[in-house]
Amino acid sequence: MDEMKSIRWKQRFENFEKSFKLLEKYANSSISTELEQAGMIQFFETTFELAWKVLKDYLESEGYIAKSPRECIKQAFQIELIEDGHLWMDALAKRNLTSHTYDEELAEKLVKEIQEQFVPLLRNLYNKLLKER
């Protein structure tokens, strides 16, 4: 059973990796149009969703139980799998906000946060899990 859980997080990591690399690729670009903003936000939403799910699968493979994104973030922070738990919680809040509303001012602010704060946050997770794989 533990081997299946180990395989599951590694498979989920592959999807996270693909999504993260796309997000990272475009995060270094100048984002100026509404379409580019929407694309960046969508890449962030998808990558963040995969990030918390890979955290969940990894935690389960290590014997922890965490069901929600918030629980996964808290547990991953406690075992030092991730750093800056407050920024992770902020990213979760922003991800939840983007899926329910769209506002041009919010979009511009969020794109900047994605580029400056959330991509490095996700990069840290990516690098840490890459070593575990």
Side-chain angles (χ1 to χ4, degrees):
M1 185 65 104
D2 288 341
E3 188 175 328
M4 282 300 293
K5 288 181 179 181
S6 178
I7 290 170
R8 187 175 349 169
W9 89 258
K10 290 175 183 178
Q11 288 173 335
R12 178 102 59 190
F13 177 79
E14 290 177 13
N15 292 329
F16 167 70
E17 180 176 42
K18 290 174 191 171
S19 184
F20 171 71
K21 287 190 177 214
L22 283 171
L23 174 65
E24 187 175 48
K25 175 181 176 181
Y26 293 108
N28 295 323
S29 303
S30 175
I31 307 296
S32 56
T33 69
E34 285 181 0
L35 183 59
E36 291 169 336
Q37 288 177 344
M40 176 62 65
I41 292 167
Q42 182 62 51
F43 278 140
F44 168 69
E45 289 174 347
T46 301
T47 304
F48 191 85
E49 189 71 15
L50 289 166
W52 88 258
K53 287 181 178 179
V54 78
L55 281 175
K56 178 182 183 294
D57 291 342
Y58 179 86
L59 290 168
E60 286 178 356
S61 76
E62 296 293 312
Y64 298 98
I65 297 173
K67 301 287 182 197
S68 70
R70 183 175 298 278
E71 289 175 14
C72 290
I73 291 167
K74 285 180 180 179
Q75 187 62 56
F77 180 72
Q78 286 177 351
I79 66 167
E80 299 179 354
L81 182 60
I82 60 171
E83 300 170 7
D84 204 342
H86 292 293
L87 188 56
W88 271 92
M89 289 298 184
D90 186 38
L92 174 62
K94 296 290 171 51
R95 184 247 169 253
N96 290 339
L97 183 64
T98 62
S99 61
H100 298 294
T101 59
Y102 187 81
D103 169 298
E104 189 175 336
E105 188 176 314
L106 173 66
E108 288 176 15
K109 183 179 177 200
L110 182 57
V111 166
K112 188 173 181 168
E113 286 178 307
I114 291 167
Q115 291 173 316
E116 295 175 0
Q117 297 178 339
F118 301 151
V119 169
L121 191 73
L122 292 165
R123 184 181 304 113
N124 288 340
L125 174 63
Y126 170 75
N127 289 333
K128 196 148 204 176
L129 290 177
L130 192 60
K131 291 176 188 172
E132 296 286 326
R133 192 170 60 158

